[in-house]
Amino acid sequence: MSENLSEVLFSEKFNVQETSTLIANSGSKKNKKLYNSTMDGEEKVGWYRLLKLLQWAWQGLDIIDCYEVLAKISASTNKRSDPDLLDTVVGFRSGNWSYEWSKKAMKFQKQANELVQYGQKEQAKNAYYLASQYYSVASYPHLKGDESSIQAQTLAFSNYRKAFEQDENALLKEIDVPFKGKTVRCYLHLPHDETIHPVVIVSGGIDTLQCDLLPLFEKQLKPAGIAMLTVDMPGVGFSNHIKLEQDTSNLHQAVLHHMDNVPWVDQSRVALMGMRMGGNALNRLAYVEPKRVRSVVSVGAAVGSVFDSFDNFSKLPPMTLDCLASRMQMSHSDVASLYQLCVPFSLIKQGLLGRKRINTPMLSIGHSQDIMCNEQDLKLIARASYGSESKIIDKPPIFDSYLRSLEYSAQWLTKHLQE
């Protein structure tokens, strides 16, 4: 996408609906006890969105730049849809979340375009990648019907592809998977060689775009010679038109079957990796397709306790409830009503986890006190087959332990894909 088009898309607008008002929430937007999660980010007083600073740093963003953007949002005197929430500035203008993050993204996009003209491929690749990540944050939490978010997503994916056009060590292939009469675009990340590679199908949570997952490939999978196919969860990104349903793995099952038509990967060596609801979908897929999957890694997978206990579910922050409602194509996120519709997501209630054993080895990674995936969930996943195990993170600093666990998961996947 050209720089001029970016500027047209991101001219100031005053009549766009503010993100936090897209989903009606009959409860208070202010939790009494603030939610804090290694994976989901931190709920701060005065903010609608969870602030994912450690996650954004993992994606490559400069924390100082992030604080600079947050400061501009905080300091804005423009009208807010909720005067008590800083990131609710109405209109696409100064102080608005999407506007401020997009301005930062456009700076890197312009820098990348200039570097290309001078033939500086490596620097251009890095600048395009950073532009994609800032545009992704501008889109966050990617709610359906959010006009500014959709525009930012378009530019996030465009800059992501451009980064790979400058990359001499990796390839990006766009794989369009037929699903329910339409297609869903997935990104296949490949080491830059002529080898047919084993592949890991990866999905993040319901507030993640597939372009947010590159460090997993760059730091863990590519050095091991493993390809990565990313898939947006139903209701997000390229899967925006799909409804999240009790059969959370139906899209991923279609992707798994489509691998038979993809020439760059070894269809007999496929593994799965999912975070949060992505972990739910891919754990479920292992039960549905045990003969097609070599192994599964789930990180903080929302598979049981959060859906089996109203007390746990009611502790989720308003933004997360809104994300769930949006993915399920609902217009409200009243916690009591939403909970009843989310109970069927429990793999325990579905009669899978804890009741059936399969041959597919599963690795579960998570924090013992995590509301979305507690120690009981982690141990249930580890009992899914004789080759499964759990890795419980309980030693501070938690995020460093989490990163070390990702390294371990790559070693674990490599071992099972090479057997």
Side-chain angles (χ1 to χ4, degrees):
M1 181 171 293
S2 71
E3 184 178 320
N4 289 340
L5 182 54
S6 306
E7 291 174 351
V8 169
L9 285 173
F10 285 101
S11 56
E12 289 194 8
K13 304 179 187 73
F14 300 95
N15 59 348
V16 293
Q17 190 170 357
E18 196 278 308
T19 301
S20 71
T21 65
L22 288 165
I23 305 291
N25 189 319
S26 63
S28 171
K29 291 282 184 182
K30 310 169 194 65
N31 281 8
K32 291 180 181 177
K33 185 173 181 181
L34 296 176
Y35 180 87
N36 188 6
S37 163
T38 304
M39 292 194 63
D40 302 326
E42 190 174 0
E43 187 178 24
K44 294 274 195 182
V45 173
W47 294 86
Y48 165 68
R49 292 166 179 81
L50 296 177
L51 301 183
K52 304 171 76 169
L53 290 164
L54 292 174
Q55 182 73 23
W56 296 334
W58 178 75
Q59 290 168 221
L61 303 190
D62 187 318
I63 290 294
I64 294 174
D65 278 353
C66 292
Y67 278 121
E68 179 188 316
V69 175
L70 295 175
K72 287 182 179 179
I73 294 168
S74 302
S76 176
T77 56
N78 284 325
K79 181 184 176 183
R80 292 177 166 87
S81 64
D82 186 330
D84 294 325
L85 297 175
L86 296 167
D87 54 329
T88 63
V89 168
V90 178
F92 190 77
R93 55 178 172 162
S94 174
N96 172 265
W97 179 277
S98 291
Y99 182 86
E100 295 297 349
W101 287 101
S102 294
K103 272 179 66 178
K104 182 66 70 174
M106 194 179 294
K107 175 187 128 182
F108 285 100
Q109 181 179 314
K110 288 179 177 179
Q111 185 183 101
N113 290 337
E114 292 170 2
L115 288 164
V116 168
Q117 292 177 357
Y118 291 108
Q120 296 177 292
K121 287 191 144 190
E122 184 65 22
Q123 294 92 326
K125 177 193 80 172
N126 293 335
Y128 278 130
Y129 172 71
L130 287 173
S132 78
Q133 299 309 291
Y134 281 110
Y135 278 129
S136 177
V137 179
S139 168
Y140 169 71
H142 324 297
L143 298 184
K144 193 175 179 67
D146 190 338
E147 180 184 329
S148 300
S149 172
I150 292 167
Q151 292 175 352
Q153 280 182 49
T154 300
L155 288 162
F157 288 128
S158 171
N159 281 277
Y160 193 69
R161 292 192 298 269
K162 286 184 177 182
F164 275 88
E165 289 171 9
Q166 307 300 318
D167 195 333
E168 297 178 350
N169 298 309
L171 296 169
L172 185 72
K173 302 284 186 181
E174 296 179 357
I175 308 296
D176 291 326
V177 178
F179 185 72
K180 294 187 176 181
K182 296 185 178 181
T183 59
V184 173
R185 177 155 294 177
C186 305
Y187 284 148
L188 177 61
H189 305 72
L190 295 160
H192 206 307
D193 57 40
E194 301 300 320
T195 309
I196 301 298
H197 297 278
V199 62
V200 180
I201 298 173
V202 181
S203 275
I206 53 173
D207 62 357
T208 304
L209 297 179
Q210 57 181 297
C211 62
D212 299 341
L213 301 168
L214 184 62
L216 181 64
F217 175 68
E218 289 287 339
K219 296 175 183 177
Q220 272 85 42
L221 300 180
K222 185 173 74 172
I226 299 173
M228 179 176 80
L229 182 84
T230 50
V231 186
D232 288 313
M233 282 295 291
V236 189
F238 287 121
S239 306
N240 187 50
H241 57 287
I242 300 170
K243 183 179 179 180
L244 182 64
E245 300 174 317
Q246 177 179 339
D247 183 358
T248 54
S249 60
N250 57 1
L251 169 60
H252 295 81
Q253 188 174 14
V255 171
L256 181 63
H257 283 235
H258 191 74
M259 287 296 95
D260 293 343
N261 306 314
V262 177
W264 303 283
V265 301
D266 183 346
Q267 294 85 1
S268 69
R269 293 191 292 162
V270 179
L272 312 174
M273 185 170 183
M275 297 83 169
R276 290 311 204 204
M277 280 303 287
N280 179 298
L282 294 173
N283 270 300
R284 190 179 192 281
L285 183 58
Y287 280 100
V288 176
E289 296 278 4
K291 293 182 179 178
R292 281 180 172 260
V293 176
R294 286 284 188 95
S295 65
V296 184
V297 173
S298 58
V299 185
V303 292
S305 59
V306 71
F307 302 126
D308 294 332
S309 162
F310 179 72
D311 183 57
N312 284 342
F313 189 84
S314 63
K315 291 174 183 174
L316 296 177
M319 189 206 83
T320 302
L321 296 174
D322 286 356
C323 283
L324 276 167
S326 179
R327 308 320 166 212
M328 297 166 69
Q329 297 181 1
M330 294 173 57
S331 59
H332 64 88
S333 62
D334 169 66
V335 65
S337 302
L338 189 61
Y339 175 67
Q340 295 303 320
L341 294 170
C342 287
V343 167
F345 290 144
S346 167
L347 299 189
I348 300 170
K349 290 280 197 295
Q350 290 182 28
L352 300 174
L353 204 59
R355 299 185 192 180
K356 292 176 65 176
R357 280 206 171 198
I358 56 176
N359 293 325
T360 307
M362 295 180 174
L363 170 65
S364 60
I365 297 171
H367 187 264
S368 59
Q369 302 301 314
D370 186 10
I371 291 172
M372 291 280 275
C373 177
N374 63 19
E375 190 166 351
Q376 177 188 348
D377 294 332
L378 296 169
K379 289 179 177 177
L380 275 177
I381 295 169
R383 290 199 290 267
S385 78
Y386 291 105
S388 297
E389 65 177 274
S390 62
K391 195 168 183 63
I392 299 171
I393 301 168
D394 54 10
K395 293 181 181 177
I398 296 299
F399 197 77
D400 288 348
S401 299
Y402 167 61
L403 295 182
R404 285 195 294 274
S405 296
L406 290 182
E407 292 174 8
Y408 179 76
S409 70
Q411 297 164 12
W412 200 83
L413 288 167
T414 302
K415 178 183 73 172
H416 289 289
L417 286 169
Q418 290 177 345
E419 288 178 348

